[in-house]
PDB file of all heavy atoms in Angstrom:
ATOM      1  N   ALA A   1       5.652  -6.918  32.027  1.00  0.00           N
ATOM      2  CA  ALA A   1       4.482  -7.777  31.788  1.00  0.00           C
ATOM      3  C   ALA A   1       3.293  -7.296  32.606  1.00  0.00           C
ATOM      4  O   ALA A   1       2.156  -7.260  32.113  1.00  0.00           O
ATOM      5  CB  ALA A   1       4.816  -9.229  32.128  1.00  0.00           C
ATOM      6  N   GLY A   2       3.526  -6.916  33.851  1.00  0.00           N
ATOM      7  CA  GLY A   2       2.442  -6.411  34.687  1.00  0.00           C
ATOM      8  C   GLY A   2       1.838  -5.139  34.137  1.00  0.00           C
ATOM      9  O   GLY A   2       0.625  -4.961  34.136  1.00  0.00           O
ATOM     10  N   GLY A   3       2.700  -4.243  33.644  1.00  0.00           N
ATOM     11  CA  GLY A   3       2.202  -3.014  33.045  1.00  0.00           C
ATOM     12  C   GLY A   3       1.408  -3.281  31.780  1.00  0.00           C
ATOM     13  O   GLY A   3       0.377  -2.645  31.534  1.00  0.00           O
ATOM     14  N   LEU A   4       1.865  -4.243  30.991  1.00  0.00           N
ATOM     15  CA  LEU A   4       1.134  -4.597  29.778  1.00  0.00           C
ATOM     16  C   LEU A   4      -0.229  -5.199  30.093  1.00  0.00           C
ATOM     17  O   LEU A   4      -1.236  -4.825  29.488  1.00  0.00           O
ATOM     18  CB  LEU A   4       1.955  -5.579  28.933  1.00  0.00           C
ATOM     19  CG  LEU A   4       3.126  -4.983  28.182  1.00  0.00           C
ATOM     20  CD1 LEU A   4       3.979  -6.080  27.556  1.00  0.00           C
ATOM     21  CD2 LEU A   4       2.658  -4.003  27.135  1.00  0.00           C
ATOM     22  N   VAL A   5      -0.263  -6.119  31.045  1.00  0.00           N
ATOM     23  CA  VAL A   5      -1.542  -6.744  31.413  1.00  0.00           C
ATOM     24  C   VAL A   5      -2.516  -5.688  31.935  1.00  0.00           C
ATOM     25  O   VAL A   5      -3.673  -5.627  31.519  1.00  0.00           O
ATOM     26  CB  VAL A   5      -1.329  -7.858  32.461  1.00  0.00           C
ATOM     27  CG1 VAL A   5      -2.652  -8.324  33.047  1.00  0.00           C
ATOM     28  CG2 VAL A   5      -0.593  -9.030  31.845  1.00  0.00           C
ATOM     29  N   GLY A   6      -2.045  -4.847  32.849  1.00  0.00           N
ATOM     30  CA  GLY A   6      -2.910  -3.810  33.410  1.00  0.00           C
ATOM     31  C   GLY A   6      -3.385  -2.811  32.380  1.00  0.00           C
ATOM     32  O   GLY A   6      -4.547  -2.396  32.386  1.00  0.00           O
ATOM     33  N   SER A   7      -2.520  -2.429  31.461  1.00  0.00           N
ATOM     34  CA  SER A   7      -2.877  -1.434  30.450  1.00  0.00           C
ATOM     35  C   SER A   7      -3.792  -2.003  29.375  1.00  0.00           C
ATOM     36  O   SER A   7      -4.790  -1.380  28.997  1.00  0.00           O
ATOM     37  CB  SER A   7      -1.609  -0.880  29.795  1.00  0.00           C
ATOM     38  OG  SER A   7      -0.825  -0.199  30.743  1.00  0.00           O
ATOM     39  N   VAL A   8      -3.459  -3.188  28.880  1.00  0.00           N
ATOM     40  CA  VAL A   8      -4.247  -3.783  27.807  1.00  0.00           C
ATOM     41  C   VAL A   8      -5.665  -4.079  28.277  1.00  0.00           C
ATOM     42  O   VAL A   8      -6.616  -3.993  27.500  1.00  0.00           O
ATOM     43  CB  VAL A   8      -3.540  -5.044  27.249  1.00  0.00           C
ATOM     44  CG1 VAL A   8      -4.448  -5.839  26.336  1.00  0.00           C
ATOM     45  CG2 VAL A   8      -2.281  -4.631  26.510  1.00  0.00           C
ATOM     46  N   TRP A   9      -5.823  -4.386  29.544  1.00  0.00           N
ATOM     47  CA  TRP A   9      -7.158  -4.631  30.091  1.00  0.00           C
ATOM     48  C   TRP A   9      -8.063  -3.417  29.829  1.00  0.00           C
ATOM     49  O   TRP A   9      -9.184  -3.563  29.346  1.00  0.00           O
ATOM     50  CB  TRP A   9      -7.065  -4.905  31.590  1.00  0.00           C
ATOM     51  CG  TRP A   9      -8.381  -5.146  32.242  1.00  0.00           C
ATOM     52  CD1 TRP A   9      -9.277  -4.212  32.674  1.00  0.00           C
ATOM     53  CD2 TRP A   9      -8.978  -6.399  32.498  1.00  0.00           C
ATOM     54  NE1 TRP A   9     -10.373  -4.818  33.208  1.00  0.00           N
ATOM     55  CE2 TRP A   9     -10.219  -6.172  33.118  1.00  0.00           C
ATOM     56  CE3 TRP A   9      -8.564  -7.715  32.293  1.00  0.00           C
ATOM     57  CZ2 TRP A   9     -11.054  -7.197  33.511  1.00  0.00           C
ATOM     58  CZ3 TRP A   9      -9.396  -8.725  32.700  1.00  0.00           C
ATOM     59  CH2 TRP A   9     -10.633  -8.460  33.289  1.00  0.00           C
ATOM     60  N   PHE A  10      -7.575  -2.230  30.138  1.00  0.00           N
ATOM     61  CA  PHE A  10      -8.396  -1.027  29.987  1.00  0.00           C
ATOM     62  C   PHE A  10      -8.492  -0.570  28.531  1.00  0.00           C
ATOM     63  O   PHE A  10      -9.507   0.001  28.129  1.00  0.00           O
ATOM     64  CB  PHE A  10      -7.887   0.086  30.895  1.00  0.00           C
ATOM     65  CG  PHE A  10      -8.164  -0.222  32.336  1.00  0.00           C
ATOM     66  CD1 PHE A  10      -7.150  -0.621  33.187  1.00  0.00           C
ATOM     67  CD2 PHE A  10      -9.455  -0.170  32.826  1.00  0.00           C
ATOM     68  CE1 PHE A  10      -7.418  -0.941  34.503  1.00  0.00           C
ATOM     69  CE2 PHE A  10      -9.737  -0.493  34.142  1.00  0.00           C
ATOM     70  CZ  PHE A  10      -8.713  -0.879  34.980  1.00  0.00           C
ATOM     71  N   ILE A  11      -7.458  -0.808  27.740  1.00  0.00           N
ATOM     72  CA  ILE A  11      -7.540  -0.484  26.320  1.00  0.00           C
ATOM     73  C   ILE A  11      -8.616  -1.344  25.659  1.00  0.00           C
ATOM     74  O   ILE A  11      -9.450  -0.843  24.892  1.00  0.00           O
ATOM     75  CB  ILE A  11      -6.169  -0.666  25.641  1.00  0.00           C
ATOM     76  CG1 ILE A  11      -5.186   0.394  26.171  1.00  0.00           C
ATOM     77  CG2 ILE A  11      -6.292  -0.591  24.128  1.00  0.00           C
ATOM     78  CD1 ILE A  11      -3.746   0.160  25.783  1.00  0.00           C
ATOM     79  N   ALA A  12      -8.624  -2.638  25.972  1.00  0.00           N
ATOM     80  CA  ALA A  12      -9.637  -3.534  25.416  1.00  0.00           C
ATOM     81  C   ALA A  12     -11.034  -3.145  25.892  1.00  0.00           C
ATOM     82  O   ALA A  12     -12.001  -3.186  25.125  1.00  0.00           O
ATOM     83  CB  ALA A  12      -9.328  -4.977  25.796  1.00  0.00           C
ATOM     84  N   ARG A  13     -11.139  -2.749  27.136  1.00  0.00           N
ATOM     85  CA  ARG A  13     -12.432  -2.330  27.696  1.00  0.00           C
ATOM     86  C   ARG A  13     -12.972  -1.115  26.942  1.00  0.00           C
ATOM     87  O   ARG A  13     -14.154  -1.064  26.583  1.00  0.00           O
ATOM     88  CB  ARG A  13     -12.267  -2.017  29.180  1.00  0.00           C
ATOM     89  CG  ARG A  13     -13.510  -1.537  29.861  1.00  0.00           C
ATOM     90  CD  ARG A  13     -13.187  -1.216  31.333  1.00  0.00           C
ATOM     91  NE  ARG A  13     -14.364  -0.796  32.032  1.00  0.00           N
ATOM     92  CZ  ARG A  13     -14.817   0.455  32.070  1.00  0.00           C
ATOM     93  NH1 ARG A  13     -14.169   1.404  31.431  1.00  0.00           N
ATOM     94  NH2 ARG A  13     -15.899   0.761  32.746  1.00  0.00           N
ATOM     95  N   GLU A  14     -12.124  -0.129  26.702  1.00  0.00           N
ATOM     96  CA  GLU A  14     -12.568   1.075  25.996  1.00  0.00           C
ATOM     97  C   GLU A  14     -12.906   0.782  24.544  1.00  0.00           C
ATOM     98  O   GLU A  14     -13.844   1.360  23.998  1.00  0.00           O
ATOM     99  CB  GLU A  14     -11.507   2.169  26.089  1.00  0.00           C
ATOM    100  CG  GLU A  14     -11.355   2.741  27.473  1.00  0.00           C
ATOM    101  CD  GLU A  14     -12.663   3.246  28.048  1.00  0.00           C
ATOM    102  OE1 GLU A  14     -13.434   3.916  27.335  1.00  0.00           O
ATOM    103  OE2 GLU A  14     -12.917   2.958  29.235  1.00  0.00           O
ATOM    104  N   HIS A  15     -12.162  -0.113  23.923  1.00  0.00           N
ATOM    105  CA  HIS A  15     -12.478  -0.477  22.543  1.00  0.00           C
ATOM    106  C   HIS A  15     -13.840  -1.163  22.471  1.00  0.00           C
ATOM    107  O   HIS A  15     -14.639  -0.884  21.576  1.00  0.00           O
ATOM    108  CB  HIS A  15     -11.387  -1.380  21.968  1.00  0.00           C
ATOM    109  CG  HIS A  15     -11.627  -1.729  20.549  1.00  0.00           C
ATOM    110  ND1 HIS A  15     -12.278  -2.876  20.168  1.00  0.00           N
ATOM    111  CD2 HIS A  15     -11.334  -1.059  19.407  1.00  0.00           C
ATOM    112  CE1 HIS A  15     -12.361  -2.903  18.852  1.00  0.00           C
ATOM    113  NE2 HIS A  15     -11.798  -1.818  18.367  1.00  0.00           N
ATOM    114  N   THR A  16     -14.107  -2.035  23.429  1.00  0.00           N
ATOM    115  CA  THR A  16     -15.412  -2.708  23.477  1.00  0.00           C
ATOM    116  C   THR A  16     -16.536  -1.694  23.665  1.00  0.00           C
ATOM    117  O   THR A  16     -17.588  -1.783  23.013  1.00  0.00           O
ATOM    118  CB  THR A  16     -15.439  -3.744  24.607  1.00  0.00           C
ATOM    119  OG1 THR A  16     -14.385  -4.684  24.384  1.00  0.00           O
ATOM    120  CG2 THR A  16     -16.764  -4.464  24.675  1.00  0.00           C
ATOM    121  N   GLN A  17     -16.327  -0.714  24.527  1.00  0.00           N
ATOM    122  CA  GLN A  17     -17.344   0.311  24.723  1.00  0.00           C
ATOM    123  C   GLN A  17     -17.542   1.139  23.450  1.00  0.00           C
ATOM    124  O   GLN A  17     -18.667   1.538  23.135  1.00  0.00           O
ATOM    125  CB  GLN A  17     -16.977   1.210  25.901  1.00  0.00           C
ATOM    126  CG  GLN A  17     -17.129   0.499  27.223  1.00  0.00           C
ATOM    127  CD  GLN A  17     -16.827   1.399  28.404  1.00  0.00           C
ATOM    128  OE1 GLN A  17     -16.264   2.486  28.261  1.00  0.00           O
ATOM    129  NE2 GLN A  17     -17.208   0.948  29.580  1.00  0.00           N
ATOM    130  N   ALA A  18     -16.458   1.386  22.715  1.00  0.00           N
ATOM    131  CA  ALA A  18     -16.581   2.099  21.435  1.00  0.00           C
ATOM    132  C   ALA A  18     -17.408   1.283  20.444  1.00  0.00           C
ATOM    133  O   ALA A  18     -18.220   1.837  19.697  1.00  0.00           O
ATOM    134  CB  ALA A  18     -15.202   2.407  20.865  1.00  0.00           C
ATOM    135  N   GLU A  19     -17.233  -0.023  20.451  1.00  0.00           N
ATOM    136  CA  GLU A  19     -18.049  -0.871  19.580  1.00  0.00           C
ATOM    137  C   GLU A  19     -19.529  -0.757  19.941  1.00  0.00           C
ATOM    138  O   GLU A  19     -20.382  -0.658  19.060  1.00  0.00           O
ATOM    139  CB  GLU A  19     -17.605  -2.333  19.683  1.00  0.00           C
ATOM    140  CG  GLU A  19     -16.276  -2.601  19.039  1.00  0.00           C
ATOM    141  CD  GLU A  19     -15.845  -4.040  19.164  1.00  0.00           C
ATOM    142  OE1 GLU A  19     -16.279  -4.739  20.103  1.00  0.00           O
ATOM    143  OE2 GLU A  19     -15.062  -4.480  18.315  1.00  0.00           O
ATOM    144  N   TYR A  20     -19.834  -0.780  21.223  1.00  0.00           N
ATOM    145  CA  TYR A  20     -21.232  -0.643  21.646  1.00  0.00           C
ATOM    146  C   TYR A  20     -21.804   0.719  21.259  1.00  0.00           C
ATOM    147  O   TYR A  20     -22.969   0.825  20.873  1.00  0.00           O
ATOM    148  CB  TYR A  20     -21.384  -0.886  23.151  1.00  0.00           C
ATOM    149  CG  TYR A  20     -21.344  -2.338  23.512  1.00  0.00           C
ATOM    150  CD1 TYR A  20     -20.326  -2.850  24.299  1.00  0.00           C
ATOM    151  CD2 TYR A  20     -22.329  -3.217  23.064  1.00  0.00           C
ATOM    152  CE1 TYR A  20     -20.290  -4.190  24.641  1.00  0.00           C
ATOM    153  CE2 TYR A  20     -22.300  -4.557  23.387  1.00  0.00           C
ATOM    154  CZ  TYR A  20     -21.280  -5.041  24.175  1.00  0.00           C
ATOM    155  OH  TYR A  20     -21.249  -6.373  24.498  1.00  0.00           O
ATOM    156  N   ARG A  21     -20.978   1.767  21.358  1.00  0.00           N
ATOM    157  CA  ARG A  21     -21.451   3.087  20.930  1.00  0.00           C
ATOM    158  C   ARG A  21     -21.712   3.102  19.432  1.00  0.00           C
ATOM    159  O   ARG A  21     -22.700   3.673  18.974  1.00  0.00           O
ATOM    160  CB  ARG A  21     -20.434   4.172  21.311  1.00  0.00           C
ATOM    161  CG  ARG A  21     -20.423   4.508  22.786  1.00  0.00           C
ATOM    162  CD  ARG A  21     -19.606   5.757  23.082  1.00  0.00           C
ATOM    163  NE  ARG A  21     -18.204   5.604  22.766  1.00  0.00           N
ATOM    164  CZ  ARG A  21     -17.288   5.129  23.610  1.00  0.00           C
ATOM    165  NH1 ARG A  21     -17.637   4.756  24.828  1.00  0.00           N
ATOM    166  NH2 ARG A  21     -16.027   5.040  23.239  1.00  0.00           N
ATOM    167  N   TRP A  22     -20.850   2.447  18.644  1.00  0.00           N
ATOM    168  CA  TRP A  22     -21.054   2.385  17.208  1.00  0.00           C
ATOM    169  C   TRP A  22     -22.362   1.666  16.891  1.00  0.00           C
ATOM    170  O   TRP A  22     -23.148   2.120  16.070  1.00  0.00           O
ATOM    171  CB  TRP A  22     -19.885   1.662  16.517  1.00  0.00           C
ATOM    172  CG  TRP A  22     -19.907   1.867  15.040  1.00  0.00           C
ATOM    173  CD1 TRP A  22     -19.171   2.775  14.341  1.00  0.00           C
ATOM    174  CD2 TRP A  22     -20.723   1.193  14.078  1.00  0.00           C
ATOM    175  NE1 TRP A  22     -19.475   2.702  13.008  1.00  0.00           N
ATOM    176  CE2 TRP A  22     -20.433   1.733  12.814  1.00  0.00           C
ATOM    177  CE3 TRP A  22     -21.679   0.193  14.158  1.00  0.00           C
ATOM    178  CZ2 TRP A  22     -21.049   1.307  11.648  1.00  0.00           C
ATOM    179  CZ3 TRP A  22     -22.308  -0.235  13.000  1.00  0.00           C
ATOM    180  CH2 TRP A  22     -21.988   0.317  11.759  1.00  0.00           C
ATOM    181  N   ILE A  23     -22.591   0.545  17.565  1.00  0.00           N
ATOM    182  CA  ILE A  23     -23.816  -0.227  17.347  1.00  0.00           C
ATOM    183  C   ILE A  23     -25.041   0.623  17.671  1.00  0.00           C
ATOM    184  O   ILE A  23     -26.022   0.633  16.918  1.00  0.00           O
ATOM    185  CB  ILE A  23     -23.796  -1.515  18.191  1.00  0.00           C
ATOM    186  CG1 ILE A  23     -22.725  -2.476  17.659  1.00  0.00           C
ATOM    187  CG2 ILE A  23     -25.168  -2.188  18.200  1.00  0.00           C
ATOM    188  CD1 ILE A  23     -22.395  -3.620  18.608  1.00  0.00           C
ATOM    189  N   ALA A  24     -24.987   1.354  18.766  1.00  0.00           N
ATOM    190  CA  ALA A  24     -26.128   2.190  19.157  1.00  0.00           C
ATOM    191  C   ALA A  24     -26.351   3.350  18.195  1.00  0.00           C
ATOM    192  O   ALA A  24     -27.497   3.679  17.870  1.00  0.00           O
ATOM    193  CB  ALA A  24     -25.916   2.722  20.570  1.00  0.00           C
ATOM    194  N   LEU A  25     -25.266   3.967  17.721  1.00  0.00           N
ATOM    195  CA  LEU A  25     -25.388   5.157  16.880  1.00  0.00           C
ATOM    196  C   LEU A  25     -25.614   4.847  15.401  1.00  0.00           C
ATOM    197  O   LEU A  25     -26.364   5.555  14.726  1.00  0.00           O
ATOM    198  CB  LEU A  25     -24.132   6.031  17.022  1.00  0.00           C
ATOM    199  CG  LEU A  25     -23.917   6.681  18.379  1.00  0.00           C
ATOM    200  CD1 LEU A  25     -22.537   7.325  18.450  1.00  0.00           C
ATOM    201  CD2 LEU A  25     -25.004   7.710  18.651  1.00  0.00           C
ATOM    202  N   PHE A  26     -24.949   3.831  14.896  1.00  0.00           N
ATOM    203  CA  PHE A  26     -24.953   3.598  13.454  1.00  0.00           C
ATOM    204  C   PHE A  26     -25.453   2.222  13.034  1.00  0.00           C
ATOM    205  O   PHE A  26     -25.695   2.004  11.862  1.00  0.00           O
ATOM    206  CB  PHE A  26     -23.543   3.794  12.880  1.00  0.00           C
ATOM    207  CG  PHE A  26     -22.922   5.099  13.267  1.00  0.00           C
ATOM    208  CD1 PHE A  26     -21.834   5.135  14.113  1.00  0.00           C
ATOM    209  CD2 PHE A  26     -23.421   6.294  12.786  1.00  0.00           C
ATOM    210  CE1 PHE A  26     -21.256   6.341  14.482  1.00  0.00           C
ATOM    211  CE2 PHE A  26     -22.854   7.503  13.147  1.00  0.00           C
ATOM    212  CZ  PHE A  26     -21.768   7.521  13.993  1.00  0.00           C
ATOM    213  N   GLY A  27     -25.578   1.316  13.971  1.00  0.00           N
ATOM    214  CA  GLY A  27     -25.933  -0.053  13.622  1.00  0.00           C
ATOM    215  C   GLY A  27     -27.347  -0.458  13.956  1.00  0.00           C
ATOM    216  O   GLY A  27     -27.653  -1.641  14.014  1.00  0.00           O
ATOM    217  N   SER A  28     -28.202   0.505  14.208  1.00  0.00           N
ATOM    218  CA  SER A  28     -29.614   0.242  14.536  1.00  0.00           C
ATOM    219  C   SER A  28     -29.756  -0.706  15.727  1.00  0.00           C
ATOM    220  O   SER A  28     -30.713  -1.472  15.808  1.00  0.00           O
ATOM    221  CB  SER A  28     -30.350  -0.338  13.325  1.00  0.00           C
ATOM    222  OG  SER A  28     -30.276   0.538  12.231  1.00  0.00           O
ATOM    223  N   GLY A  29     -28.764  -0.685  16.615  1.00  0.00           N
ATOM    224  CA  GLY A  29     -28.831  -1.516  17.813  1.00  0.00           C
ATOM    225  C   GLY A  29     -28.503  -2.978  17.592  1.00  0.00           C
ATOM    226  O   GLY A  29     -28.664  -3.789  18.497  1.00  0.00           O
ATOM    227  N   HIS A  30     -28.013  -3.328  16.409  1.00  0.00           N
ATOM    228  CA  HIS A  30     -27.720  -4.724  16.095  1.00  0.00           C
ATOM    229  C   HIS A  30     -26.232  -4.916  15.813  1.00  0.00           C
ATOM    230  O   HIS A  30     -25.669  -4.271  14.932  1.00  0.00           O
ATOM    231  CB  HIS A  30     -28.525  -5.193  14.878  1.00  0.00           C
ATOM    232  CG  HIS A  30     -29.994  -5.124  15.089  1.00  0.00           C
ATOM    233  ND1 HIS A  30     -30.682  -6.031  15.844  1.00  0.00           N
ATOM    234  CD2 HIS A  30     -30.910  -4.226  14.656  1.00  0.00           C
ATOM    235  CE1 HIS A  30     -31.961  -5.715  15.866  1.00  0.00           C
ATOM    236  NE2 HIS A  30     -32.127  -4.603  15.148  1.00  0.00           N
ATOM    237  N   ARG A  31     -25.630  -5.825  16.543  1.00  0.00           N
ATOM    238  CA  ARG A  31     -24.200  -6.091  16.403  1.00  0.00           C
ATOM    239  C   ARG A  31     -23.834  -6.523  14.983  1.00  0.00           C
ATOM    240  O   ARG A  31     -22.768  -6.169  14.471  1.00  0.00           O
ATOM    241  CB  ARG A  31     -23.774  -7.160  17.404  1.00  0.00           C
ATOM    242  CG  ARG A  31     -22.308  -7.522  17.319  1.00  0.00           C
ATOM    243  CD  ARG A  31     -21.916  -8.545  18.356  1.00  0.00           C
ATOM    244  NE  ARG A  31     -21.897  -7.996  19.685  1.00  0.00           N
ATOM    245  CZ  ARG A  31     -20.904  -7.276  20.190  1.00  0.00           C
ATOM    246  NH1 ARG A  31     -19.868  -6.995  19.464  1.00  0.00           N
ATOM    247  NH2 ARG A  31     -20.963  -6.829  21.428  1.00  0.00           N
ATOM    248  N   GLU A  32     -24.698  -7.281  14.333  1.00  0.00           N
ATOM    249  CA  GLU A  32     -24.373  -7.779  12.996  1.00  0.00           C
ATOM    250  C   GLU A  32     -24.265  -6.660  11.957  1.00  0.00           C
ATOM    251  O   GLU A  32     -23.709  -6.864  10.887  1.00  0.00           O
ATOM    252  CB  GLU A  32     -25.386  -8.841  12.529  1.00  0.00           C
ATOM    253  CG  GLU A  32     -26.798  -8.331  12.398  1.00  0.00           C
ATOM    254  CD  GLU A  32     -27.625  -8.482  13.669  1.00  0.00           C
ATOM    255  OE1 GLU A  32     -27.071  -8.829  14.728  1.00  0.00           O
ATOM    256  OE2 GLU A  32     -28.834  -8.228  13.592  1.00  0.00           O
ATOM    257  N   ASN A  33     -24.752  -5.470  12.281  1.00  0.00           N
ATOM    258  CA  ASN A  33     -24.633  -4.332  11.365  1.00  0.00           C
ATOM    259  C   ASN A  33     -23.271  -3.635  11.455  1.00  0.00           C
ATOM    260  O   ASN A  33     -22.954  -2.800  10.616  1.00  0.00           O
ATOM    261  CB  ASN A  33     -25.732  -3.311  11.636  1.00  0.00           C
ATOM    262  CG  ASN A  33     -27.102  -3.849  11.280  1.00  0.00           C
ATOM    263  OD1 ASN A  33     -27.233  -4.758  10.483  1.00  0.00           O
ATOM    264  ND2 ASN A  33     -28.127  -3.287  11.899  1.00  0.00           N
ATOM    265  N   MET A  34     -22.484  -3.976  12.464  1.00  0.00           N
ATOM    266  CA  MET A  34     -21.209  -3.299  12.663  1.00  0.00           C
ATOM    267  C   MET A  34     -20.122  -3.924  11.795  1.00  0.00           C
ATOM    268  O   MET A  34     -19.934  -5.133  11.805  1.00  0.00           O
ATOM    269  CB  MET A  34     -20.773  -3.371  14.127  1.00  0.00           C
ATOM    270  CG  MET A  34     -19.508  -2.588  14.403  1.00  0.00           C
ATOM    271  SD  MET A  34     -18.946  -2.703  16.105  1.00  0.00           S
ATOM    272  CE  MET A  34     -18.381  -4.375  16.170  1.00  0.00           C
TER     273      MET A  34
END
């Protein structure tokens, strides 16, 4: 459980950063375009 909590924290963090990169690159800076 500890390994899952620690790992999922960073996986979710990187996925969120990927979403922000998508918004910046392809979504004209607007979340609703993603």
Side-chain angles (χ1 to χ4, degrees):
L4 285 171
V5 169
S7 296
V8 169
W9 179 278
F10 289 106
I11 292 169
R13 178 182 182 274
E14 290 306 316
H15 183 266
T16 302
Q17 288 183 346
E19 289 179 335
Y20 283 116
R21 286 191 296 272
W22 194 98
I23 291 166
L25 293 171
F26 308 112
S28 302
H30 299 284
R31 179 178 289 280
E32 62 269 9
N33 293 337
M34 184 182 71

